[in-house]
Amino acid sequence: MAGSDTAPFLSQADDPDDGPVPGTPGLPGSTGNPKSEEPEVPDQEGLQRITGLSPGRSALIVAVLCYINLLNYMDRFTVAGVLPDIEQFFNIGDSSSGLIQTVFISSYMVLAPVFGYLGDRYNRKYLMCGGIAFWSLVTLGSSFIPGEHFWLLLLTRGLVGVGEASYSTIAPTLIADLFVADQRSRMLSIFYFAIPVGSGLGYIAGSKVKDMAGDWHWALRVTPGLGVVAVLLLFLVVREPPRGAVERHSDLPPLNPTSWWADLRALARNPSFVLSSLGFTAVAFVTGSLALWAPAFLLRSRVVLGETPPCLPGDSCSSSDSLIFGLITCLTGVLGVGLGVEISRRLRHSNPRADPLVCATGLLGSAPFLFLSLACARGSIVATYIFIFIGETLLSMNWAIVADILLYVVIPTRRSTAEAFQIVLSHLLGDAGSPYLIGLISDRLRRNWPASFLSEFRALQFSLMLCAFVGALGGAAFLGTAIFIEADRRRAQLHVQGLLHEAGSTDDRIVVPQRGRSTRVPVASVLI
């Protein structure tokens, strides 16, 4: 019966528009051809021949990209490390404080599709150089704004998004064009270690530089100098690899890009990309809220417990919580990213759906611990830190895996665009609005309660509990991803190998060799 099901497709007449496909490998899942779940992985010599870069040079490029990724997140969370001082300096409330992060993320989100389009078509190295140079100058300028011009601080934080958009949409695609399979997963895990480590260093640098200089403005002047070093390293070290060549296992010219609208239609029809992006949106919502508000919440908790004097107008807000939370963010990030990648790598040999299932486990597991960290804050600051540590570790398991999912369910000529629109979605519904939303809810709750330090603490505590609910929704999205991941991954592999040609939204067909000639068959006859 199986043979009769496939015979009508495989015996169709040759399509005169299709030429022979030289060197076509055995089609996975097709009758009469060897079945292969994964394409053959090139060795080091093969990778060097295809990319034109030695293994040492490729590793050095990843190191430079990691340094810049660390620097980006360090700058982003330096503001959070000195947020109480910024509130005092500009005389603003919680909602305005949340707006600082929201404006930055909104700019980053709007510009990401622009750089995604450019990154799929032009030299990625020079795009990153220009963006990071601009970001460094704007960040430096933001440290000289007087207290009566809070709007100007918002403007400069928005312009900082130019640099991050030029980098975050492009850098992962460079790694994808240098490595494949487990090598790519390992390099992505190293790359995404920089997110929690850089975030933690931002808190640490912000609080310590402020203490050493006696002025929080100096905390914003650290990363611009390091940004100059980043531009020099990019210009001198990084080289542009051919797009998609390592996955085709040949040094033929890279795949040709399609139109931007065709890219968008293809991405919208890719359920694994859409659902994993929704799951990542939940991660962004939770991390964005915690990144900005956790140090302030911990400070208010200590005030209520009587461990720290309140931060009064005109005084410098002295607290060790930014430093401690920064260290926890670094440790949990390294532990969580490494743990997630290693668990997924081991499980995927027996379960091809391991990646989204590990992501779902991380998000669903983090939700109750984050809730407990908030609920225990009035009773024990130690218990709060313990639950934050466990919750952030589970949350961090997603970073590298989500990036890997995108890279293997999307073809090379659409990856920068896919990165851009994942950024748009995750920030639009995630951390672009979550810091402001948390601050807004906190301010609204405080209006109905008597003015006191306890009211400030309780208002922020209740508003942050929203994060646990959103995390559970994200876990459900990753469970949905697991349903479609196998078919979408196979479809992308066949397209890269030249076996799948897009003939329209309802007529995807595969070119297969038969009796020395090429024949088009519907993709469903192979994927199902």
Side-chain angles (χ1 to χ4, degrees), residues 9-64:
F9 297 110
L10 296 177
S11 60
Q12 292 177 15
D14 289 350
D15 191 328
D17 294 332
D18 292 324
V21 182
T24 306
L27 199 58
S30 61
T31 306
N33 290 295
K35 183 174 181 177
S36 173
E37 291 297 327
E38 297 287 345
E40 183 182 352
V41 178
D43 56 17
Q44 293 290 347
E45 183 178 345
L47 286 175
Q48 181 172 351
R49 177 179 59 81
I50 294 168
T51 63
L53 300 169
S54 67
R57 183 62 174 269
S58 297
L60 186 59
I61 290 174
V62 173
V64 172

Side-chain angles (χ1 to χ4, degrees), residues 101-163:
Q101 190 77 342
T102 296
V103 167
F104 159 72
I105 295 296
S106 298
S107 169
Y108 173 42
M109 173 187 69
V110 170
L111 292 167
V114 176
F115 284 101
Y117 176 86
L118 297 174
D120 280 332
R121 291 160 177 82
Y122 300 102
N123 189 289
R124 293 170 283 187
K125 167 181 171 178
Y126 296 130
L127 288 171
M128 290 189 292
C129 285
I132 293 170
F134 180 80
W135 156 76
S136 299
L137 290 172
V138 172
T139 302
L140 181 63
S142 68
S143 68
F144 295 98
I145 296 172
E148 61 271 17
H149 296 300
F150 175 67
W151 65 270
L152 193 54
L153 178 66
L154 293 179
L155 176 62
T156 56
R157 293 309 295 174
L159 293 175
V160 167
V162 174

Side-chain angles (χ1 to χ4, degrees), residues 363-493:
L363 261 181
L364 293 173
S366 68
F369 286 105
L370 293 176
F371 180 85
L372 287 172
S373 69
L374 297 168
C376 294
R378 192 177 174 186
S380 171
I381 198 71
V382 174
T384 298
Y385 273 121
I386 291 173
F387 288 130
I388 286 177
F389 186 93
I390 298 172
E392 284 208 324
T393 299
L394 293 170
L395 197 64
S396 297
M397 291 172 62
N398 292 271
W399 288 105
I401 301 176
V402 172
D404 206 8
I405 289 174
L406 182 148
L407 294 173
Y408 65 63
V409 301
V410 176
I411 64 173
T413 54
R414 291 183 181 137
R415 284 175 180 160
S416 288
T417 298
E419 291 279 357
F421 278 89
Q422 187 174 85
I423 287 171
V424 169
L425 182 63
S426 62
H427 292 311
L428 179 64
L429 302 179
D431 56 354
S434 64
Y436 177 70
L437 178 62
I438 297 298
L440 184 63
I441 294 173
S442 176
D443 280 348
R444 292 293 175 86
L445 290 174
R446 286 165 59 184
R447 290 179 186 176
N448 301 323
W449 297 336
S452 67
F453 295 120
L454 178 60
S455 296
E456 292 180 2
F457 163 76
R458 289 177 59 204
L460 191 54
Q461 179 189 43
F462 291 159
S463 61
L464 282 170
M465 286 182 178
L466 179 63
C467 294
F469 175 73
V470 172
L473 291 179
F478 280 120
L479 290 177
T481 305
I483 298 173
F484 302 99
I485 195 76
E486 291 180 88
D488 289 337
R489 181 174 188 171
R490 182 68 56 79
R491 189 184 298 271
Q493 290 172 349

Side-chain angles (χ1 to χ4, degrees), residues 472-520:
L473 291 179
F478 280 120
L479 290 177
T481 305
I483 298 173
F484 302 99
I485 195 76
E486 291 180 88
D488 289 337
R489 181 174 188 171
R490 182 68 56 79
R491 189 184 298 271
Q493 290 172 349
L494 294 173
H495 193 119
V496 170
Q497 295 300 323
L499 299 175
L500 177 62
H501 296 272
E502 294 180 341
S505 59
T506 59
D507 187 28
D508 285 340
R509 291 177 177 267
I510 299 173
V511 180
V512 299
Q514 184 174 351
R515 299 188 183 96
R517 298 176 298 176
S518 63
T519 300
R520 258 190 187 182

Side-chain angles (χ1 to χ4, degrees), residues 238-310:
V238 174
R239 287 179 57 188
E240 177 88 355
R243 290 177 175 85
V246 294
E247 290 159 281
R248 300 176 73 187
H249 307 161
S250 73
D251 51 3
L252 295 173
L255 299 170
N256 292 322
T258 52
S259 71
W260 194 62
W261 288 112
D263 291 347
L264 296 187
R265 288 195 299 269
L267 293 173
R269 297 196 307 266
N270 188 326
S272 295
F273 169 73
V274 172
L275 287 170
S276 62
S277 296
L278 288 173
F280 187 65
T281 299
V283 177
F285 185 100
V286 176
T287 55
S289 300
L290 293 177
L292 188 70
W293 289 115
F297 172 74
L298 293 166
L299 174 61
R300 295 182 189 184
S301 175
R302 288 187 184 275
V303 170
V304 170
L305 292 172
E307 299 179 3
T308 299

